[in-house]
Amino acid sequence: SVPDGPGASVLTRTRTRVRRPNMYRVLLLNDDYTPMEFVVHILESFFNKNKEEATRIMLHVHQTGVGECGIFTYEVAETKVTQVMDFSRKHQHPLQCVMEKS
Ligand code: TYC
């Protein structure tokens, strides 16, 4: 039997609340110097785009000034921006990658 009355243990169930995380767009910005093939390589290696999709995004950035690489939670977006900026810097390209709340 289950203990009852004074001294009985009390079990409570706390409802598990589910919350949507804030999401962040990661964007590439155009510049006059970064080679097109380098930008395509960035999109393939850091954003898992195939060559066709990477080329489409790169050309969109080239023609309009800005384009979306993906939408991520804060920490993932921050990591992508850092990876792209470090890699571009290492190869001495001025490519800029930024994030904005979605
Ligand atoms: N505008 C660059 C060129 O003509 C190509 C480029 C595309 C650079 C996208 C940056 O995010 C970028 N070589």
Side-chain angles (χ1 to χ4, degrees), residues 37-53:
E37 317 77 60
F38 185 83
V39 178
V40 170
H41 176 72
I42 291 264
L43 287 160
E44 290 176 315
S45 53
F46 295 117
F47 297 97
N48 306 317
K49 306 298 187 187
N50 61 34
K51 182 139 255 129
E52 179 183 326
E53 179 70 353

Side-chain angles (χ1 to χ4, degrees), residues 21-101:
N22 292 323
M23 300 299 280
Y24 295 79
R25 268 188 288 275
V26 173
L27 307 172
L28 280 179
L29 308 184
N30 189 40
D31 66 72
D32 293 339
Y33 306 104
T34 305
M36 290 185 171
E37 317 77 60
F38 185 83
V39 178
V40 170
H41 176 72
I42 291 264
L43 287 160
E44 290 176 315
S45 53
F46 295 117
F47 297 97
N48 306 317
K49 306 298 187 187
N50 61 34
K51 182 139 255 129
E52 179 183 326
E53 179 70 353
T55 301
R56 191 189 66 72
I57 295 169
M58 181 280 295
L59 286 174
H60 177 85
V61 176
H62 177 69
Q63 286 156 9
T64 70
V66 63
E68 184 182 299
C69 310
I71 307 185
F72 309 97
T73 54
Y74 185 89
E75 286 199 324
V76 173
E78 198 186 38
T79 299
K80 301 276 185 198
V81 169
T82 300
Q83 286 173 333
V84 171
M85 295 300 289
D86 287 355
F87 189 73
S88 299
R89 188 132 201 222
K90 181 172 119 183
H91 290 269
Q92 304 193 319
H93 295 309
L95 181 63
Q96 296 293 305
C97 183
V98 300
M99 61 193 273
E100 63 171 33
K101 200 162 178 221

